[in-house]
Structures are given as C-alpha cells and as structure tokens.
Amino acid sequence: TTEAPKADTTAAAPAAKPPLSQPLISNIYTADPSAHLFEGKIYIYPSHDIEAGIPENDKGDHFAMRDYHILSMDSINGKVTDHGVGLDIKDIPWAGRQLWAPDAAFKNGTYYLYFPVKDKQDVFRIGVATSKTPAGPFKAEATPIAGSFSIDPAVFQDTDGNSYMYFGGLWGGQLQRWQKGAYDANAPEKEPSTDVPALNARVGKLSADMKHFDGPVQEIKILDEAGKPLLASDTKRRFFEGGWMHKYQGKYYFSYSTGDTHLLVYATSATPTGPFTYQGVIMQPVQGWTTHHSIIEKDGKWYIFYHDTQLSGKTWLRNIKVTELKRRADGGIETIVP
Ligand code: FUB
C-alpha cells in the first residue's frame, strides 16, 4: 500500500526540549559566549570553533579559530539568529593565528569588539574592532591595544560611566610569560605549582574612546577567607582564564575558570579593581576541558552563558548554552551542576 501510516494518537507526544541547557546553535561550533543586551536583544559574541587538524596539547594549539560569527536572540528561549562573519582574521593587519574568546561593548553610538589573537611573533595580544551595528561587520584597528597581552578580554561598564577590561589566561594564554613586565619567551609553559601566590588576571581602565588603557594595567588580588592571597597550588580556586565581571546590589562579582580543575568560580569586592575575596563555585565541570562563561540580567532574572562539547565530544569543537543563575538571599550564587 502507498497509504501513509496512520498517526498513533495514543503515543505520547515527543517531549519538548528543555529550553535551557541545550546547544543554542548546531550549524557551527561555538564557545566562550560573551552575552550582552544591545538594542533590546541578547547579542552573543562567541569563539567559532573549527576542525583545524592540529593535535591537542597544553598550549591550546588545537584551538586554531579564524573568524567570529555574531549571534542574537530576542529572548532567552527565542530563536537564535546567526548574523554570519563579524570579523575575519585575514582582516586584522597584525594577526598571526588563533582568534580566541572575544567580548563586546557599546558606547556613544559605536560597538566595540575586543579579541585576543597571536601576533606574527606568536605572542597573544588584544585587539579592538568597531562597528555601527551590534552584528558587525567590525573593522579592526591597525595595531593591538598598547600594553595588552595574553587572552580573554572581558569589558565591564560600571554605572558611573567608567569601563574596565579584565584579561589574562595561563598556559596557552601566556600569562605566566609576563611576570617580569615584558614578554619572556623562555619562561616556563605553566605557572608555578608551589605555595607561592597565584598569578592573577589583569585589569585596565579603558580610555574614553574605548581603544586604549587609561593608565597602567594592574594585577588583581584574589584573597581567601583569611585575607591571604590564593596560592598557585590551590588549583580549585585560583584564577586560570575566562574572567567576567558583573555587579549585583552594589557589589562586584569577578568570576573565572580554574582551568585544569574545570570549575567556574567567583570572588567579590566592594570595588571593580579589588581586592576580591573568593566565594565559591558557580558551575561544576562541563563535558570538555575548557569552561568559559558570561553572566547577564534579562527581565529581572540572571543567566549564565557557557559551553560544553555535547554536540561533538571533542574539546576543541564546543557548543554554547545558557541556563539560569540563581542567588541565595545573601547574594551568593548557587552552584550549578550542568
Ligand atoms: O577558546 C579558546 C580558549 O579556550 C579561550 O580563550 C579560553 O577561555 C578557553 O575557553
């Protein structure tokens, strides 16, 4: 017979996908999602993972990304639009390889895309590109931001109008090579593993044009409950990479990845530049080696954008997700088990 089988009306309808904690898009691999509310929508600035065929190593050579796709959603559960390539490595005059985790900001009618990429000497620097629209295309400045180094820029705009860039990442992110004030190509490939204060993220206030540092970059301090700096050996709490700043009820929350222990954790301070006091775990390890996030408020609820490797099972081919971030009455963040 050519008659189509009758629908089995007794069978349960397929379960609706839970709206949260599912890959947001599957047409390309994406990671390191920096989310922002621009023009009434959620814009996401992720890394665009590709299969470059480079073997996995502790320097992250397998993360050989070459462009950014910018995404948007009308609402947290809404359709995701892929706006296509917003910036290509071939259009960054000083770039060598590895376009890693970006972030974005808006000021005075201009959108700014901040991106880490290795220069032609294989040293990570942070660049900036501009556009009149949040989806780009973005045009890169001719040189990296003077005084920038390492990876993972996160730009926070405070309620008083000041903007700050947090940045840095260990191992492949090269932060351990900047301990003498200049790049040291002969420095160890990893941070010290002994009981010395941990290396930390850097913060620099941005100039009014958002393209330079306004004054010296500082290393932030992250302290334990006794007011002592976290130690390099304290790998479940010390900073590794992927910093993000948000403000909640007047307090500054600096959150980050612990890298080789695969946690997202946070520390708080009364000021945007610290010192910060370690508070706890935001998210337990996801599938895949890296863990990287952003946090935004939308319609009175807080959300965390993050990634895992659900679609590929490969650490270098990730997919971004979002889930709700819940707080205790004291403002502390409840730990998410992804
Ligand atoms: O995507 C490349 C790198 O992996 C990022 O810069 C890190 O934060 C980690 O997610």
Side-chain angles (χ1 to χ4, degrees), residues 72-123:
S72 70
M73 308 158 80
D74 289 333
S75 63
I76 286 290
N77 294 319
K79 178 174 167 285
V80 179
T81 301
D82 177 352
H83 296 275
V85 175
L87 180 65
D88 193 302
I89 197 166
K90 71 176 168 31
D91 298 321
I92 304 168
W94 53 273
R97 62 179 182 132
Q98 295 184 292
L99 210 43
W100 282 14
D103 193 19
F106 172 72
K107 189 175 172 187
N108 293 341
T110 300
Y111 291 88
Y112 298 85
L113 180 67
Y114 298 92
F115 56 89
V117 68
K118 282 181 179 162
D119 64 16
K120 297 189 195 299
Q121 287 71 47
D122 231 25
V123 177

Side-chain angles (χ1 to χ4, degrees), residues 24 30-36 38 41-46 69-73 80-81 83 102 104 134 294 305 320-322:
L24 287 176
T30 51
D32 309 325
S34 289
H36 291 273
F38 292 144
K41 293 187 184 184
I42 303 162
Y43 275 86
I44 310 167
Y45 300 82
H69 278 232
I70 294 159
L71 314 176
S72 70
M73 308 158 80
V80 179
T81 301
H83 296 275
S294 63
F305 287 74
I320 59 167
K321 296 184 164 185
V322 61

